Amino acid sequence: MKKLLDLITETMELAFDELGYEKSYAKVSISNRPDLCEFQCNGAMALAKQLKKAPIEIADSIADKLLDNKMFSEVNAVMPGFLNLKLSTDYLADYLVQMSGDPGRYGCERVEKPKTIRIDYGGPNVAKPLHVGHLRSAVIGESIKRMGIFMGNTMIGDVHIGDWGLQMGLIITELKERKPYLPYFNSTFTDEYPTEAPFTISELEEIYPTASKKSKEDEAYKEKAMQATYDLQHGNRGYQALWRHIIKVSVDDLKRNYKRLNVSFELWKGESDAQPYIPEMVRKMKDAGYAYISEGALVVDVKEETDTKEIPPCMILKSDGASLYNTTDLATIVQRVGSYNPNEIIYVVDKRQDLYFTQIFRCAKKTHLVGDDVKLHFLGFGTMNGKDGKPFKTRDGGVMRLETLLSDIEEKMYEKISENQTMDEEDARKTAAQIALSAIKYGDLSNQASKDYIFDIDRFTSFEGNTGPYILYTIVRVKSILNKYQQAGHSIVGIVPGAACSESEKALQLELARFNGVIEAAYAELAPHRICSYIYDLANALNHFYHETKILAEPDAAKQQSYIALLELTRGVLETCIDVLGFTAPERM
Ligand code: ARG
């Protein structure tokens, strides 16, 4: 379906055209004075300058032209030359009838040319638990992926785990100190290794920080860890078997955690998967003359003439020939282009890596790892801060595990809903988890991704104000009315064409009609916060309408039917939006 705003602009263009005015001036926007009108066109002012005429004269002539147009109930020319518009209730109702007739999409069309887009939005490291630093990537990335799918694209989410490098050598070294008798450390062992890992996830999460601490204090220990890393990467059979155990145990745990966040990945690739692509990639960069030795290291220049700040060369290999974070990301691009042949790769990563990704993208383009037609997109997000304005920490200043954060908020929600509910324990727990997730995700997504924000648990979990629980509360309210209506033996029909009787009803209808435009714009800008602010407006419009209107007690059956259909459409639009944001609403709360 065409967007309502576009339809109005088209009508306006026609009027301009018929009066001999340049129709590029006919653009219509949502009114910034809702007390005066619903839409406005300010084109007469700019046009007047060009034609050296009084703006009000032009506005008047257009208002005259539109006098009998069925689209509007009011067209007013006001000083100095504004056109204030109100939509006719019939026209609006008709638009909503069409929206209702398209359940699930509500008039939002898919993109004309679907793309294949790979999206990198995980970045956890093995053997380290997910902490709040990983929250934003997961929450924003999942929502962008869902927006992309809704718009008709093929989206391939890749967790891109950090499963390579010194951290693996550290774990192996510490294990060897503790359990030297394991077959993985016996070089004469030629049998199959055990299928069971010699550690649990909790042990692993303790082993890694211990080893990391030791390596900082003990030079010899660090040497051992570096040697173990080298041996692992150069075919030590026992270490490789151990490494597979580490990955397996970590990934199982990560999957469990992401699942609680309602986040999933199509691909569970890691940094290690890119390693086989490195030698060939480096050779090509050297052969083509892009890579050269500078102070011992192999680098590619990526600065451009138009740069206003210094962009240092992209390092490909360290002076000892070892690869680094950059090398892995570049090789990952080779790997990604090689499979699925994407039109675009989106990275949802901490914005402090902005310069780094500028270097990577330029290097990838310059050395032709990707064609010019492939879009590389960095979506950098800001930091999640505590109420003190510093990065979010536990009460004693430690790094907060994501699991702990989730459980704390679930518990808080559970207490809240248990106060005045008759749900059984299991239902209440499930509902609490749903509300908690809405609090966390909406709290995050309602901020522009690139900005830092304050994670305020008290505010985010409130059932009032601009919060996830408020949105869910509104949906539950609507569902409850719809259920009561159906329980009384009625069935829900589509919107009944006809007039909106009250201002609050019309305001709700106008909000609903914005849906396709909002989703389109949010996707174009990769901006989930636009969807959040839309559903907040929509929920407010719904609640206002609800307070002003007798719905279940309405004696006129036709009127009631129309109200109910409007509620059903509101429910559908709200639930579609929160699904795109990555959370769901309960039946009761
Ligand atoms: N594992 C990295 C870290 O902890 C984040 C990875 C982000 N993605 C990427 N393709 N570099 O910082």
Side-chain angles (χ1 to χ4, degrees), residues 145-157:
K145 185 173 90 180
R146 285 163 177 260
M147 276 192 316
I149 295 171
F150 190 78
M151 293 306 292
N153 302 288
T154 303
M155 305 292 288
I156 303 155

Side-chain angles (χ1 to χ4, degrees), residues 120 123 125 160 271 325 329 347 349 353 357:
D120 178 323
N125 300 310
H160 197 68
E271 296 180 4
Y325 187 48
D329 259 317
Y347 293 78
V349 180
Q353 296 194 25
F357 275 102

Side-chain angles (χ1 to χ4, degrees), residues 157-176:
D158 186 349
V159 65
H160 197 68
I161 38 177
D163 59 357
W164 201 242
L166 184 62
Q167 56 185 353
M168 311 309 298
L170 283 166
I171 297 167
I172 293 172
T173 303
E174 184 57 24
L175 267 174
K176 194 171 177 179

